[in-house]
Amino acid sequence: VNFSPGFLNVMAMVKWNGAIYASAGNAGYGQELYRTDGSSPLVLALDILPGGDSGSPGSLLPWGDRLVFAANSQIHGQEPWVI
């Protein structure tokens, strides 16, 4: 998997819907949800907490045609998310 320069803390990876999704962090977006096809660099899939703060997605779980995970929006705290 090509993680691209500048990414830190790549974790919680899972294959879903033809792509690899991962919780990863960089200076621009913080720890957020990224995706890749495995050969191209990571791209932002969902900016849970916009800006440099971190939504900290984790516990990624493919569930049929959905991806379920926990994340923190700082409004409601840690809660389940579904895409």
Side-chain angles (χ1 to χ4, degrees):
V1 176
N2 182 350
F3 291 121
S4 307
F7 279 93
L8 307 170
N9 302 324
V10 178
M11 57 185 152
M13 295 188 335
V14 67
K15 186 174 181 181
W16 174 72
N17 204 23
I20 298 169
Y21 286 77
S23 176
N26 70 20
Y29 293 105
Q31 192 81 16
E32 297 294 351
L33 187 64
Y34 293 84
R35 76 170 178 264
T36 179
D37 64 4
S39 63
S40 59
L42 288 171
V43 295
L44 187 65
L46 182 62
D47 192 4
I48 297 154
L49 194 55
D53 292 330
S54 297
S56 303
S59 303
L60 308 178
L61 175 67
W63 191 6
D65 64 346
R66 304 276 185 205
L67 181 63
V68 179
F69 56 95
N72 188 343
S73 68
Q74 291 188 347
I75 296 170
H76 302 290
Q78 193 80 1
E79 62 185 350
W81 286 65
V82 179
I83 56 172

